[in-house]
């Protein structure tokens, strides 16, 4: 049973930066897509970024040019570098990973989230 653990959230002023990390422990499968989502109370969960096993990346329009995702497969880790943060980036950020094994079993895991708060 894999577990995902996010870190790196916190309080930051507008224009500041944070780097989120998400480590998968016990992942006895090939990790395909690594994603970051965020959720604000009362709103739907939003896909922030995705990075595939081949390195293809995709971003929400609201973060393009400010956020960058990367992965280190040797550490089963995905990162989200967040620059030029805005108050509207305030949310709980969740890591999500999908994968498969040699028998084509599929895996889908979520982390517990890390809070990002951007305040003046």
């Amino acid at each position: 049973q894999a577990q995902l653990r996010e870190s790196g959230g916190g309080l930051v002023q507008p224009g500041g930066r944070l780097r989120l990390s998400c480590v998968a422990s016990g992942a006895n499968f090939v990790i395909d897509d690594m994603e970051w989502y965020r959720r604000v109370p009362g709103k739907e969960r939003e896909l922030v970024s995705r990075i595939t096993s081949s390195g293809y990346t995709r971003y929400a329009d609201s973060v393009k040019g400010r956020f960058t995702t990367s992965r280190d497969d040797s550490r089963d880790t995905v990162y989200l570098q967040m620059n030029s943060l805005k108050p509207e980036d305030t949310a709980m950020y969740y890591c999500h990973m999908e994968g498969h094994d040699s028998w084509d079993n599929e895996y889908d895991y979520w982390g517990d989230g890390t809070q990002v708060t951007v305040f003046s």
Side-chain angles (χ1 to χ4, degrees):
Q1 186 80 358
Q3 290 187 324
L4 306 187
R5 184 177 74 253
E6 302 100 333
S7 62
L11 301 173
V12 65
Q13 292 185 328
R17 58 178 60 182
L18 287 172
R19 187 191 194 208
L20 306 185
S21 300
C22 175
V23 180
S25 59
N28 296 316
F29 56 90
V30 175
I31 301 175
D32 298 319
D33 293 351
M34 295 181 171
E35 299 170 326
W36 288 97
Y37 284 80
R38 65 186 180 187
R39 173 171 264 168
V40 176
K43 294 187 178 181
E44 290 191 3
R45 183 177 59 196
E46 176 187 23
L47 175 64
V48 176
S49 67
R50 172 183 294 138
I51 183 165
T52 68
S53 57
S54 60
Y56 171 80
T57 57
R58 176 182 175 181
Y59 299 94
D61 288 342
S62 57
V63 307
K64 282 180 181 176
R66 300 188 297 121
F67 291 10
T68 303
T69 190
S70 59
R71 60 191 284 168
D72 183 344
D73 290 327
S74 69
R75 292 183 169 88
D76 289 341
T77 300
V78 61
Y79 304 98
L80 185 66
Q81 178 66 47
M82 305 186 295
N83 298 332
S84 302
L85 282 161
K86 303 176 180 180
E88 51 264 43
D89 294 319
T90 295
M92 183 72 79
Y93 284 71
Y94 297 91
C95 172
H96 177 241
M97 295 188 188
E98 297 179 336
H100 68 280
D101 62 19
S102 301
W103 297 273
D104 287 332
N105 295 312
E106 296 181 347
Y107 298 86
D108 188 308
Y109 290 99
W110 290 89
D112 291 333
T114 184
Q115 178 68 37
V116 172
T117 303
V118 185
F119 70 105
S120 296

